[in-house]
Amino acid sequence: MAAIRLGDVAPNFTAKSTEGDINFHEWLGDSWGILFSHPADYTPVCTTELGTVAKYKDEFEKRNVKVVALSVDGLESHKGWVSDINETQNTTVNFPIIADEDRKVSELYDMIHPNASEKFTVRSVFVIGDDKKVKLIITYPASTGRNFEELLRVIDSLQLTAYHKVATPANWKNGEDVVISPAITNEEIPSLFPKGHKEVKPYLRMTPQPNLD
């Protein structure tokens, strides 16, 4: 099976989850999506991650992003673990967790790395656009918890650059200046970027973020 690459259509699947059966593409609808895997239930780092995602639900919704988690354990295990997450992280898990006991989804998305463990998934993150295409893939080792502020930052960049002819520079955050796409000629800039621009070098032209008032 070929590895999933950026720009590929995210493979569709049906699976059982803590919020009922999911057909992935139908569940996404016209939303963006985040699919992220966990090595196993009742693991310490994952417990903090799922609690954090629950607290960020409003931020994801603002960006039209649906979030779904996955672990290779079963539904009953998931339900018990959710209770622990809610208790220890002082939150309420408000998104589905897929039960991937047959590892169908994990293998479809290459979330099991043989040299890490034959059973456990690595901490994979897939950001999927509203066109069902994979926009971002990040893979963390099992020992390192994810930075969800970074995921929000990346989604802001992905959505901005999908709809405007710009790119975002290093460490960019929502609201900061952006880079004008090299494909845009200087003659086109005034009509596309009426807020003005600054030419640092002919290939490095900055402009205020275009989708802000």
Side-chain angles (χ1 to χ4, degrees):
M1 185 194 70
I4 296 171
R5 298 182 187 276
L6 298 184
D8 288 352
V9 172
N12 195 23
F13 58 83
T14 53
K16 296 191 181 310
S17 86
T18 52
E19 295 187 2
D21 291 354
I22 283 179
N23 175 301
F24 189 48
H25 282 192
E26 282 178 17
W27 177 80
L28 282 174
D30 59 2
S31 299
W32 287 59
I34 296 177
L35 170 64
F36 62 115
S37 62
H38 294 276
D41 291 358
Y42 298 104
T43 48
V45 176
C46 303
T47 301
T48 65
E49 287 188 321
L50 290 178
T52 300
V53 171
K55 292 172 183 172
Y56 276 87
K57 182 88 179 296
D58 289 349
E59 290 298 322
F60 288 123
E61 283 181 351
K62 266 190 230 169
R63 293 160 173 83
N64 188 32
V65 177
K66 289 183 172 180
V67 181
V68 60
L70 172 148
S71 162
V72 294
D73 294 309
L75 272 185
E76 286 309 307
S77 172
H78 282 2
K79 286 173 182 170
W81 184 33
V82 165
S83 173
D84 278 8
I85 295 164
N86 293 343
E87 176 196 339
T88 63
Q89 305 305 304
N90 195 28
T91 189
T92 301
V93 171
N94 46 19
F95 54 89
I97 306 173
I98 291 167
D100 190 35
E101 285 183 287
D102 59 5
R103 301 196 286 186
K104 185 178 75 177
V105 182
S106 303
E107 286 170 5
L108 191 61
Y109 279 80
D110 193 27
M111 292 168 165
I112 294 173
H113 289 191
N115 45 358
S117 165
E118 293 297 339
K119 175 177 180 282
F120 290 166
T121 59
V122 286
R123 289 183 201 286
S124 300
V125 183
F126 294 86
V127 175
I128 295 146
D130 52 4
D131 57 1
K132 305 288 188 292
K133 291 185 178 174
V134 175
K135 306 296 183 186
L136 176 86
I137 302 169
I138 310 178
T139 304
Y140 294 76
S143 55
T144 300
R146 284 165 278 214
N147 182 331
F148 291 95
E149 283 288 335
E150 166 64 1
L151 269 183
L152 288 174
R153 187 192 78 86
V154 167
I155 288 163
D156 284 339
S157 170
L158 289 168
Q159 293 184 340
L160 172 67
T161 57
Y163 308 130
H164 298 272
K165 295 176 169 58
V166 294
T168 55
N171 292 348
W172 174 86
K173 292 190 203 65
N174 200 32
E176 296 178 352
D177 287 359
V178 295
V179 175
I180 296 170
S181 168
I184 303 299
T185 66
N186 282 342
E187 291 70 33
E188 293 173 296
I189 287 177
S191 61
L192 290 171
F193 303 103
K195 295 178 183 177
H197 78 288
K198 176 185 175 190
E199 186 173 294
V200 183
K201 289 283 182 187
Y203 59 85
L204 179 55
R205 301 164 300 173
M206 306 296 293
T207 190
Q209 185 173 328
N211 65 343
L212 296 179
D213 295 333

